[in-house]
Amino acid sequence: MPSQAKLTQGSTFKHVVYMSATGALGLMCMFLVDLVDMLFLSMLDEKEAVAAVGFASTIMFFTISLSIAVSITATALVSRAIGEGQIELAKRRAVNVLAFGTLFSLVVVWLLWPNIAFILSYIGATGRTLELSTEYLQILIIGMPAIMIGMIGSGIMRALGDARRAMYATLIGGLINAVLDPIFIFALDMGVQGAAIASLIARFSMVAVSYYGVVHVHKMLGRFDLMDFIKDIKPMCVIAVPAMLTNMSSPLANAIVMEHASSFGDDAVAAVAIIGRIIPVIFGGVFALSGAVGPMLGQNYGAGRFDRMHSTISSAVIYAFGYCLLLCIILFQLQDWLVATFNATEASADIIRFFATFVSFSFFFQSLLFIAIAVFNNLGKPLNSTLLNFGRATLGTWPLITFFALFMGAQGILFGQAIGSVIFGCLGFYMAKNYIKGLEQKAYREKASKAITSPQHLGYDEVY
């Protein structure tokens, strides 16, 4: 059980680096599940199998995004309670978010499973690709409750500042998947279905690891009480619903990209699918920024430390720039290796090389958007995150990729998406900085008002 809000002390840059690095390893391993699936399936020399995982992963990204949204709720509520020193409230919120997430994920599975083939065909899967992607997704979607529980557990531990144990759940899941994939795909000759079963087992392993950290190490799950759960539904939904809408915008953008890519054939779809699996692994440190910055802001806001909130934002930008610069250089150097590793066709290889050479640095601007999303989700304005991310997914995606694809072909899809990231990243960061300044000014006015109306100020010291 935490005795103090550890993120309100020490170097903010050190916290950002540590929280982002451990979060990145966790996220990278979670998305590595899909990348490993695609890598082994590419060895079957059946491009429909790779395209099938690409289509199915578009839907799985949607379910993972919902899980991340609920984990954001856990992080925001628990970290703020910890910053205020209300440990029992933090424990109550932790168990109630876990119950909420489990019920919600079961409902999503119930709604999605019968409609999988229709959804996949709607975003462009046809023929053999549709058949394989349906088989893959029908198995994998069953694991959504496990992902939800694992992500919420990680979110609770991040809220406490224990980023290392938060990483373990997804790290172990990725390792288990890497071991089981060749067994099910090749040794048991199960192909796409084998990849799905291996990934499903890996996802359920996340539950055991996160349960151990939250319950046995930190003792952070309070006793479930139905009336407390009902009371907490409103504060949970205030964060969870906008956060879900915010995170749904990314799979929406991916679906738009995949639908446009399908008009250029399976080679373009396979290239976009490969890039889509590379991105979270290479740029995991960027994707982890929201999860790193969020609990730092939550604890320091609860403690009234606005100086550390400003410092956290500055540290996050410095970290993001250095990380993106380094990883973009590495990606540029590895582009030929990636083409060879995934047995990409000539058409697919051109798109992959274009991404590695010209598009990759746009993720720095996307990191600015992630920082802004963390600010709004954890400081009481989650609807702003929704508007920003949906703006990027719609206005920042569809018109731009449609326009640039007219002149640049399939490469224009990636270029248009990158331009959208630049625009909305800068806009979101500007809004977030101003919002924190507004909160600080409001807190200063309230403090000044209390000082003016205090008995001491009015000359009543002798009464006390």
Side-chain angles (χ1 to χ4, degrees):
M1 188 182 300
S3 58
Q4 61 181 0
K6 64 183 294 184
L7 299 179
T8 62
Q9 304 170 15
S11 166
T12 57
F13 184 76
K14 182 179 178 180
H15 283 314
V16 166
V17 172
Y18 179 70
M19 297 280 285
S20 295
T22 51
L25 285 172
L27 279 176
M28 284 158 60
C29 283
M30 185 173 66
F31 286 107
L32 191 62
V33 169
D34 292 332
L35 184 61
V36 168
D37 285 350
M38 190 167 292
L39 177 61
F40 283 116
L41 289 173
S42 69
M43 297 177 185
L44 297 176
D45 200 24
E46 184 180 13
K47 69 179 181 181
E48 289 86 0
V50 177
V53 174
F55 279 113
S57 295
T58 301
I59 309 304
M60 280 307 302
F61 188 34
F62 164 78
T63 63
I64 291 174
S65 295
L66 291 178
S67 300
I68 292 173
V70 181
S71 78
I72 288 170
T73 305
T75 300
L77 293 177
V78 174
S79 66
R80 193 176 302 179
I82 293 294
E84 294 169 352
Q86 301 187 55
I87 305 302
E88 291 304 315
L89 177 61
K91 292 169 66 175
R92 189 185 95 185
R93 293 277 169 84
V95 73
N96 288 339
V97 174
L98 187 61
F100 174 84
T102 303
L103 291 172
F104 177 75
S105 63
L106 290 171
V107 171
V108 172
V109 172
W110 179 69
L111 291 172
L112 278 182
W113 201 91
N115 300 298
I116 286 173
F118 170 76
I119 296 171
L120 289 169
S121 62
Y122 181 78
I123 63 174
T126 58
R128 176 65 174 164
T129 300
L130 175 60
E131 178 185 341
L132 292 174
S133 58
T134 301
E135 292 176 359
Y136 181 85
L137 195 54
Q138 282 179 336
I139 296 171
L140 204 54
I141 196 71
I142 298 171
M144 184 186 174
I147 294 176
M148 180 70 75
I149 294 170
M151 294 301 295
I152 292 173
S154 294
I156 292 169
M157 287 185 281
R158 281 197 303 272
L160 302 173
D162 189 358
R164 178 172 56 87
R165 285 191 179 90
M167 168 189 72
Y168 286 160
T170 46
L171 181 64
I172 291 175
L175 293 174
I176 289 175
N177 189 81
V179 172
L180 293 181
D181 251 343
I183 296 173
F184 282 95
I185 294 173
F186 301 113
L188 299 179
D189 195 25
M190 297 179 67
V192 169
Q193 288 185 339
I197 293 172
S199 298
L200 183 64
I201 294 172
R203 280 166 164 81
F204 276 101
S205 71
M206 293 172 58
V207 176
V209 179
S210 61
Y211 179 85
Y212 176 80
V214 172
V215 176
H216 291 284
V217 176
H218 292 290
K219 297 178 173 56
M220 273 302 296
L221 285 190
R223 182 177 61 85
F224 179 78
D225 182 274
L226 182 59
M227 296 308 297
D228 284 341
F229 178 75
I230 293 172
K231 289 178 185 177
D232 283 341
I233 285 178
K234 181 177 179 180
M236 286 190 294
C237 288
V238 165
I239 299 173
V241 173
M244 286 178 191
L245 293 173
T246 299
N247 281 18
M248 282 168 58
S249 63
S250 292
L252 172 62
N254 289 345
I256 292 171
V257 168
M258 190 64 74
E259 190 273 333
H260 274 70
S262 66
S263 65
F264 292 94
D266 276 349
D267 287 332
V269 170
V272 171
I274 291 169
I275 292 169
R277 304 291 73 74
I278 291 171
I279 286 172
V281 176
I282 296 293
F283 293 104
V286 169
F287 284 88
L289 262 181
S290 241
V293 172
M296 294 177 65
L297 292 173
Q299 284 194 13
N300 284 288
Y301 183 54
R305 295 292 306 274
F306 286 96
D307 57 326
R308 289 184 62 82
M309 292 167 68
H310 290 298
S311 178
T312 295
I313 299 301
S314 300
S315 297
V317 173
I318 294 170
Y319 164 82
F321 182 83
Y323 181 94
C324 288
L325 181 63
L326 176 62
L327 269 295
C328 286
I329 293 172
I330 293 173
L331 183 61
F332 177 78
Q333 297 295 327
L334 293 179
Q335 58 182 288
D336 290 333
W337 177 81
L338 290 170
V339 168
T341 300
F342 286 97
N343 296 319
T345 63
E346 184 176 349
S348 295
D350 289 340
I351 299 172
I352 294 170
R353 290 191 177 98
F354 180 80
F355 170 79
T357 304
F358 299 107
V359 174
S360 58
F361 197 73
S362 65
F363 277 87
F364 168 69
F365 296 94
Q366 197 160 331
S367 73
L368 298 182
L369 182 59
F370 291 150
I371 294 170
I373 288 170
V375 169
F376 294 124
N377 280 342
N378 287 271
L379 301 181
K381 284 287 184 179
L383 185 59
N384 285 11
S385 298
T386 303
L387 295 175
L388 281 169
N389 234 16
F390 261 97
R392 182 184 66 86
T394 53
L395 296 176
T397 300
W398 183 78
L400 292 170
I401 66 176
T402 301
F403 175 77
F404 286 105
L406 291 175
F407 304 98
M408 302 171 64
Q411 295 176 352
I413 295 174
L414 302 180
F415 189 76
Q417 194 176 25
I419 296 297
S421 294
V422 172
I423 294 171
F424 280 89
C426 293
L427 174 64
F429 187 74
Y430 173 78
M431 290 172 59
K433 290 281 286 185
N434 282 347
Y435 179 63
I436 293 178
K437 288 179 182 177
L439 288 177
E440 186 176 16
Q441 291 169 359
K442 180 181 177 181
Y444 177 78
R445 287 194 299 267
E446 290 177 350
K447 185 177 180 180
S449 176
K450 288 179 181 178
I452 291 174
T453 57
S454 67
Q456 289 83 358
H457 182 84
L458 295 174
Y460 298 150
D461 299 68
E462 65 276 10
V463 176
Y464 299 90

